[in-house]
Amino acid sequence: MIEGLIFGLLSILTLAGAAAAALLRNLVHCALSLSVTFVGLALMYLSLGAQFVGLSQILVYIGAVAILVVFAILLTRGAGALTPHRLIAAAGWRLGWIASVAVGFVLIVALVRSPLPVSGDHAVKVTVQQIGQALMGPYVLPLEIVAILLTVALIGAVIVAMPEDQKEMR
Amino acid sequence: MNSATLDQFFVLLQHHVAALFPTVLQPWVSMILGVVGIVAVFPAIFALTTVLERKGLGRMQNRLGPNRVGPFGILQPIADAIKSLTKEDIVPRNADDVVHFLAPVVLVVAIFLGYAVLPVGRNMVLLNIDAGILLFFAVGASTELSIFMAGWSSRNKYSLLGAMRAVAQMISYEVPLLLAAVVAVMMTGSLAPTAIVQAQGGFTGIFPHWYVFTPWGFAGFTLFVVAALAETNRSPFDLPEGESELVAGYFTEYSGFKFALFFLGEYLGMMSIAGYGITLFLGGWGAPFSFLTFIPSWAWFFAKLFLAIFFFIWLRGTLPRLRQDQLMNFAWKFMLPLSLLNLCVAAAWRFLGEWLGGGTVAELIRWLVCAAVLVLAYVLLARTLLRQQNISPRSYRYAD
Amino acid sequence: MLGEGILKGLAETAKNFAGSFVSEDRLTTVEYPEQRLLPIENTRDFPFLVYDGEDPEAGLRCVSCQICEKECPPKCIYIVKSTDKKPDYVGKPQFYPARFDIDISVCMSCQICVEVCPFEAIKMDTEFELSTDDRFGGLILDKHKLAKSNEHFQRIHPTEAAEVDARLAEEKEKVEAKAKAAAEAAAAKSAAEAAARKADAGSAGSNAEGVKP
C-alpha cells in the first residue's frame, strides 16, 4: 500500500519533470526540470532498495550531467532567453518525431521481452561489496573498455579545446 | 551514572521516549527524534560558530570582536537571527521568482540530508546504510545545482559570476575530495561511515589506529582538508563570494531569511564536511588515547568538530584569496596527481603488508617506503609547479 | 618549499590570537561608547554658531548678514533677519538672526560658510553622535542647538580658535582705542565747551580767553 503510494508519487514527479523539460520555453528551466527527473529516478532506485545505483544516479546525474547541461546552455546562447514557439514546429520536427518514436519503441520492446520477476520475493538484496566484486570479476573487461573510452574522450575534448598555437607547439 | 550509560545517554533517551508510543509508531517516533536531534544540534553549533568565528578572527587581527550582546557577546547570534527574520524579503523585479525561492531551500535540504549518515557517537547515526559515504558525496554534489539556481535566478551579473565560479570550483575540487576519501574506504573495505569508524577503533599502546597516522592517511587527510575548504567556499578559496570582487557572489540578491538560509547552508556544509573528514581520517568518535576512553564518544566527536571549525577559522584569518587561474591550476595540476598517487600508495600499503608479513621491522619498512614515495612526489611536483609559475613583479599591459 | 609560507602565516595569526588575550597594547581598537579616542584637530562635520560669554542669545556673533546662506552650495542654511538690533562684541548695534536653521541631512560639510563668514561666527563642529529617530525634523538644527560657546570652539580646534581669538581681540582693541580716542576727543571737546560756557557765564564783559579755538 505505502510502497504503491510512494511509487505513484515518484512516477508523477519523474514524468512531470520530463514533461516540463520538454515543454517549458526557458532553456534553464528545462535543464532544472530535467534534474527533477533525475532525482525522481534516483529516489525510485532507492525505494527499490538499490542504494548504490540510486546514490550514483544523484552523484553523476545531478552533480555532473545536470551541471554540464546548464554550463552548455549558459556558454552557447543567451541564458534565460525564451525559445520561440515556432521552434517546436521547426524544419526537422518530423525527423525528431520519428527518432523519438523509434527510441521509445525499442525501449518498450526491450522492457516487455525481458523476464522480470513478478513479485518482490525474487528481489535479491545487492550490497555495494557485491557490486564491486562483480565489476572487478566477471565484468572487468567491459569496465576497462568503458574506462579507456572515457579517457580517450577526455583527452580528445582537451585537445579540441586547446588553443591553436599550443597545438602547433606539440 | 557510569561511563557506559553516559556514552549511550542519547540513544537510551531516544528508546525511552519512543517506548511511550504504541508499537506501530515506535520506529517512526525514534526516526523523528533523531531528525529533531540533528535539526536542533547542528544549527545551534552553527549559531555558536558564527560568534566564535567573529571573535576568533577579531583576535587574530588584534581586535576584540563582538562583545555587547550578553556576556562576552555570546548572545550575538540571537540578535542576528532577530535581525534577519525581521528584515524585508526582497526579490528583484527581473528575478525568476520560483527558482529564486527554491534555491536556498534546496541547498539547506540537501546539506541536512548529508547529516543522516554521519556517526556522531557510538550507535548514534540516524541512517546506518551501506553506502553512507556515497550518500554524503551525492548530496554534496547536488548543492552545486542550488548554487547555480541562486546565481542564475537573481538576474544579476555578480550573482551569475559568483555562481559560475562556485560551480567550476566545486566540480574541480570534488574530484580530489572523492579520491582522497576513497583511500579510507579502500582500507576499510566498506562505504559505511560506521564501519570506517570501527576500523579505526583499536589502540597500539596508548595510540589509536587512526588513518591519519599512516602515510597515505596523512596525505589523504591533507588533500581532503584542502578540497573541503574549496568545496565549502571557505577562505582562501572564497572566490565565489569574494566580498571585494562580487559583493556576496551568488547570494547577492538575497535578503532576510533567505540570506540567513544561505549562511546556514554554508556553515552546515562546512560542519558536515568536517564531520566526514573526522569520520574518515580522525577516528570519528574514538578517543585519541586509550586511557581517555571513559569520556563519552559523542563528546569526542563534537570536540573534534570544534577543533576542525577552529582550524577553518584560523586558516580564514591567515590566508589571502587565490586567483581563479591559481585555483584551477592547483586543483588539476597538484591535487589531482597527488590524490591519484595516494590511491596507488594506499594499494601498495595493503599489498606490502601482505607480502612482508607482520613484525615491527616489516611495519617500519612499509611505513618508510610509502612515506618516501609521497614526500618525493610532493617535493618534485611542488618544485616543478613553482618553477613554471615564474613569480616576478607584475606587469600591467594597459595601465602603464 | 610549498606550504612553508602557509605555516609561517599560521604561526603569525596564532601569535596575534594568543597575544591579544595577554597584552592590551596589541589591541588596535577601543570600546567606543565607554572609551573614546580624541578627535583629530582638523576633524569637521557640520557647522555651529559661536557665541561669547555666558548667554547664547546675547553673545551670538552672527549678525545675520546672510552671506553664508547665499554661498552654501546645497542651500542648507535658512536665516531670518531680526528687525531690531543688539550690541555685538564691541558694543556696536547689529542685527541678529531671529531664526538660523541648518539642515544637516543636506549639508555636505564643505566648510564654505566658515570661509566666507566675515564675523568668525560660524565654525565647523566635531560632534558626530547626531542620530535621531526623526529623519526630517530631527536633522534640522535650529539657533539654540547650533549655538555653542567659544570655549567649545577653543577645545575642539585649539589652533584655529587661538588665531581667531587673537584677531578678534586685536580688532576689539583697535575699536576700543578708537572709541577711547573718540571719547577723549569728545571729552576734551565737551570740557572745552563746558569751560567756555563757564567763562561765558562767569564774566560776560571780560572774555579774554574763551571760545576762540
Side-chain angles (χ1 to χ4, degrees):
Chain A
M1 172 59 206
I2 288 179
E3 278 89 0
L5 194 68
I6 290 173
F7 179 78
L9 287 175
L10 289 180
S11 314
I12 291 169
L13 182 78
T14 313
L15 290 176
L23 295 176
L24 286 178
R25 287 181 60 206
N26 188 328
L27 267 181
V28 177
H29 285 171
C30 295
L32 294 176
S33 313
L34 192 65
S35 49
V36 171
T37 308
F38 292 151
V39 173
L41 280 177
L43 291 178
M44 211 167 268
Y45 292 140
L46 288 178
S47 74
L48 293 173
Q51 282 171 11
F52 188 80
V53 183
L55 295 174
S56 304
Q57 166 90 9
I58 295 181
L59 185 66
V60 174
Y61 279 85
I62 306 291
V65 174
I67 296 286
L68 198 71
V69 169
V70 158
F71 252 82
I73 290 169
L74 285 185
L75 292 179
T76 46
R77 59 193 301 161
L82 294 182
T83 50
H85 279 302
R86 61 186 162 74
L87 253 193
I88 295 169
W93 70 279
R94 286 189 189 84
L95 222 65
W97 270 108
I98 292 168
S100 54
V101 166
V103 170
F105 182 73
V106 169
L107 284 178
I108 289 169
V109 167
L111 215 67
V112 167
R113 291 186 57 186
S114 57
L116 291 173
V118 189
S119 77
D121 305 339
H122 299 271
V124 255
K125 187 145 171 56
V126 184
T127 63
V128 179
Q129 215 148 17
Q130 281 168 314
I131 294 173
Q133 267 150 7
L135 281 179
M136 283 294 126
Y139 292 101
V140 71
L141 192 65
L143 182 78
E144 288 304 317
I145 290 172
V146 169
I148 289 168
L149 189 71
L150 288 176
T151 313
V152 168
L154 203 66
I155 294 170
V158 169
I159 287 177
V160 167
M162 198 182 272
E164 287 297 323
D165 50 339
Q166 277 192 27
K167 243 185 265 185
E168 305 271 311
M169 245 159 52
R170 307 267 141 164
Chain B
M1 201 183 290
N2 60 8
S3 72
T5 340
L6 200 62
D7 188 40
Q8 294 300 300
F9 179 74
F10 294 107
V11 180
L12 294 175
L13 192 72
Q14 190 186 19
H15 284 310
H16 278 300
V17 174
L20 299 176
F21 288 87
T23 330
V24 196
L25 290 177
Q26 272 181 15
W28 294 93
V29 169
S30 64
M31 200 58 140
I32 287 168
L33 283 175
V35 171
V36 167
I38 287 173
V39 174
V41 168
F42 285 97
I45 297 180
F46 151 70
L48 198 59
T49 308
T50 55
V51 64
L52 286 183
E53 169 150 30
R54 288 168 66 183
K55 286 188 83 73
L57 282 179
R59 290 289 178 179
M60 282 169 204
Q61 295 157 3
N62 287 325
R63 296 182 285 114
L64 286 175
N67 60 356
R68 294 287 152 163
V69 194
F72 301 107
I74 208 77
L75 298 180
Q76 184 70 37
I78 296 174
D80 288 345
I82 292 170
K83 187 189 86 172
S84 56
L85 283 176
T86 51
K87 267 195 168 179
E88 186 185 356
D89 176 31
I90 300 167
V91 181
R93 192 180 301 146
N94 282 335
D96 196 310
D97 42 2
V98 178
V99 183
H100 191 264
F101 171 77
L102 279 178
V105 179
V106 172
L107 178 78
V108 172
V109 167
I111 283 174
F112 264 124
L113 278 179
Y115 284 99
V117 288
L118 181 66
V120 296
R122 192 177 281 116
N123 302 329
M124 283 166 76
V125 57
L126 186 65
L127 206 62
N128 195 2
I129 59 171
D130 250 1
I133 296 289
L134 197 63
L135 186 137
F136 167 66
F137 285 116
V139 294
S142 50
T143 57
E144 283 160 30
L145 206 62
S146 68
I147 284 174
F148 168 78
M149 282 160 73
W152 176 78
S153 67
S154 298
R155 295 287 162 87
N156 172 324
K157 60 186 169 209
Y158 297 118
S159 300
L160 192 59
L161 269 177
M164 296 299 267
R165 281 185 181 190
V167 172
Q169 173 179 329
M170 287 169 91
I171 284 188
S172 304
Y173 278 88
E174 208 168 69
V175 182
L177 185 79
L178 257 165
L179 289 177
V182 160
V183 284
V185 174
M186 248 166 77
M187 281 300 156
T188 316
S190 171
L191 273 169
T194 44
I196 294 173
V197 172
Q198 258 147 22
Q200 302 175 64
F203 289 94
T204 306
I206 58 164
F207 298 106
H209 290 169
W210 294 357
Y211 286 152
V212 74
F213 296 132
T214 57
W216 53 269
F218 184 75
F221 179 66
T222 317
L223 290 166
F224 188 90
V225 170
V226 174
L229 282 172
E231 193 78 351
T232 51
N233 302 333
R234 288 285 300 184
S235 178
F237 302 107
D238 57 348
L239 288 100
E241 49 202 70
E243 295 88 347
S244 47
E245 303 164 14
L246 294 175
V247 192
Y250 50 87
F251 55 91
T252 302
E253 292 294 355
Y254 282 88
S255 62
F257 190 58
K258 288 182 197 159
F259 181 85
L261 278 184
F262 271 108
F263 210 57
L264 174 75
E266 197 165 298
Y267 276 83
L268 284 180
M270 179 181 100
M271 285 188 281
S272 91
I273 214 159
Y276 282 97
I278 290 165
T279 303
L280 287 169
F281 297 103
L282 294 180
W285 38 258
F289 295 109
S290 60
F291 53 84
L292 286 176
T293 41
F294 67 91
I295 294 173
S297 54
W298 43 269
W300 280 122
F301 179 83
F302 286 106
K304 286 175 192 173
L305 188 64
F306 272 108
L307 220 62
I309 290 169
F310 179 76
F311 183 66
F312 280 7
I313 295 171
W314 190 8
L315 278 177
R316 181 175 170 185
T318 305
L319 300 179
R321 189 179 303 140
L322 265 69
R323 224 167 45 215
Q324 191 74 34
D325 60 323
Q326 294 169 334
L327 180 90
M328 287 299 161
N329 279 345
F330 190 64
W332 295 106
K333 291 186 181 169
F334 185 78
M335 299 278 287
L336 189 62
L338 266 191
S339 48
L340 284 173
L341 179 78
N342 195 33
L343 223 61
C344 299
V345 169
W349 173 274
R350 175 134 195 181
F351 290 117
L352 277 178
E354 279 173 22
W355 291 337
L356 295 173
T360 324
V361 184
E363 273 292 298
L364 205 67
I365 291 172
R366 181 165 78 145
W367 215 97
L368 285 178
V369 166
C370 289
V373 169
L374 283 170
V375 169
L376 200 71
Y378 173 78
V379 171
L380 284 180
L381 200 58
R383 290 195 133 183
T384 326
L385 287 179
L386 279 179
R387 204 176 302 134
Q388 275 179 9
Q389 233 183 359
N390 57 31
I391 299 159
S392 59
R394 205 159 176 192
S395 67
Y396 295 92
R397 211 185 312 166
Y398 302 111
D400 286 334
Chain C
M1 193 63 237
L2 185 71
E4 200 183 346
I6 295 175
L7 293 180
K8 266 188 208 160
L10 285 176
E12 186 64 33
T13 39
K15 221 187 292 168
N16 278 351
F17 182 79
S20 66
F21 285 101
V22 289
S23 118
E24 289 276 313
D25 310 337
R26 275 177 168 273
L27 299 180
T28 50
T29 51
V30 295
E31 292 189 70
Y32 159 63
E34 294 91 29
Q35 303 170 6
R36 284 152 188 274
L37 294 174
L38 285 174
I40 301 158
E41 203 186 325
N42 286 338
T43 313
R44 67 164 197 245
D45 47 23
F46 300 113
F48 72 101
L49 298 175
V50 190
Y51 68 82
D52 295 304
E54 295 298 313
D55 183 13
E57 280 291 326
L60 212 59
R61 287 183 188 168
C62 179
V63 300
S64 191
C65 68
Q66 291 178 311
I67 294 177
C68 54
E69 187 182 21
K70 289 189 186 91
E71 292 287 339
C72 177
K75 299 279 173 249
C76 68
I77 303 177
Y78 175 71
I79 301 174
V80 175
K81 209 174 194 164
S82 64
T83 46
D84 56 335
K85 292 187 175 185
K86 73 167 178 65
D88 67 354
Y89 66 107
V90 290
K92 189 176 163 196
Q94 293 274 21
F95 289 109
Y96 61 92
R99 222 176 135 182
F100 197 114
D101 292 347
I102 294 181
D103 188 346
I104 59 167
S105 65
V106 175
C107 176
M108 61 186 203
S109 311
C110 63
Q111 209 179 337
I112 285 177
C113 51
V114 176
E115 276 158 23
V116 298
C117 182
F119 299 95
E120 311 284 0
I122 190 163
K123 292 290 168 195
M124 296 307 274
D125 204 351
T126 56
E127 177 62 49
F128 54 90
E129 287 163 321
L130 297 160
S131 60
T132 165
D133 52 5
D134 177 7
R135 59 193 271 215
F136 301 111
L139 291 175
I140 297 178
L141 303 186
D142 62 6
K143 198 169 70 172
H144 304 289
K145 279 190 201 145
L146 286 171
K148 287 185 179 166
S149 68
N150 196 28
E151 283 74 54
H152 174 74
F153 181 42
Q154 281 161 355
R155 197 170 58 246
I156 58 173
H157 300 306
T159 321
E160 196 191 347
E163 232 169 73
V164 168
D165 282 351
R167 194 158 57 237
L168 286 181
E170 198 184 310
E171 223 151 89
K172 194 173 178 182
E173 220 166 77
K174 238 187 250 167
V175 170
E176 266 169 6
K178 218 176 173 182
K180 212 169 149 193
E184 268 168 13
K189 204 175 162 188
S190 64
E193 260 173 29
R197 216 172 290 132
K198 203 171 148 194
D200 246 9
S203 56
S206 69
N207 42 4
E209 75 257 87
V211 246
K212 255 182 223 157

